[in-house]
Amino acid sequence: MSARNRAAGFTLLELMVVLLIIGVMTSFAVLSIGGRTLSDRLDNESARLQQLFVLAQDQALFNRTELGFFTDEERYGFLVPDGEGGWQPHSRSGPLRVRSFSEPFRGVLFVEGQAVAPPDGDELEPSVLILSSGDMTPFRLEIRAPDDVGPAIIRGDALGRIARGEPETRQ
């Protein structure tokens, strides 16, 4: 066999090494995509909720209207006055709509240090008011996960400052 014919193709061993390398790289890619931990997902959920509060504050200020926030263990959303002394969901679509917590998370809202009871029936009442002046009802929202992960905490104070953080430790 001449040297010219030998250089024209790949050997079986070279093809097997290339396929092995491609398989290993594919395995790493699949594992990295599906490997988000529960604590990462909890952090993303709390970051999203914090930004929704900031957006609600901006809308209340710019539109000169009051907004409300409610939650039960499974869902949360922003409310607007319905003009008849009650409240209705902000919108059916858009960022301030009523939505569910991502599985497996649950939310617990605290106002004045007390857990807020979930709304009864279909009547939605806000537990937190976001005023057009920039003020709001002070609150602490805990997003809880099963096992030993979390909770993630979102706090709002009377001056309208929103922050994420760890649970307070009492001394």
Side-chain angles (χ1 to χ4, degrees), residues 4 34 46 74 83 86-87 99 102 124 128 131 147 153:
R4 195 165 147 204
S46 67
E74 297 178 1
W87 294 84
R99 58 178 79 206
S102 299
L124 297 177
V128 174
L131 305 178
D147 303 324
I153 308 292

Side-chain angles (χ1 to χ4, degrees), residues 10 16 20 68 75 83 92 116 143 151 171:
F10 296 104
M16 289 176 63
L20 177 68
R75 63 189 180 134
R92 292 194 183 277
V116 175
I143 305 171
Q171 298 178 357

Side-chain angles (χ1 to χ4, degrees), residues 1-72:
M1 192 183 265
S2 70
R4 195 165 147 204
N5 287 340
R6 251 176 76 69
F10 296 104
T11 66
L12 181 59
L13 182 61
E14 291 170 330
L15 287 174
M16 289 176 63
V17 168
V18 168
L19 288 175
L20 177 68
I21 292 171
I22 290 172
V24 168
M25 290 175 60
T26 303
S27 298
F28 282 128
V30 168
L31 290 175
S32 70
I33 290 172
R36 288 185 56 201
T37 65
L38 191 61
S39 62
D40 289 341
R41 291 179 45 219
L42 181 62
D43 189 52
N44 287 343
E45 185 80 8
S46 67
R48 176 176 55 163
L49 253 165
Q50 179 188 18
Q51 292 305 312
L52 287 174
F53 270 106
V54 170
L55 177 63
Q57 282 181 307
D58 290 346
Q59 282 202 0
L61 284 168
F62 292 130
N63 295 333
R64 296 184 178 170
T65 186
E66 277 62 41
L67 295 176
F69 175 80
F70 85 96
T71 186
D72 56 27

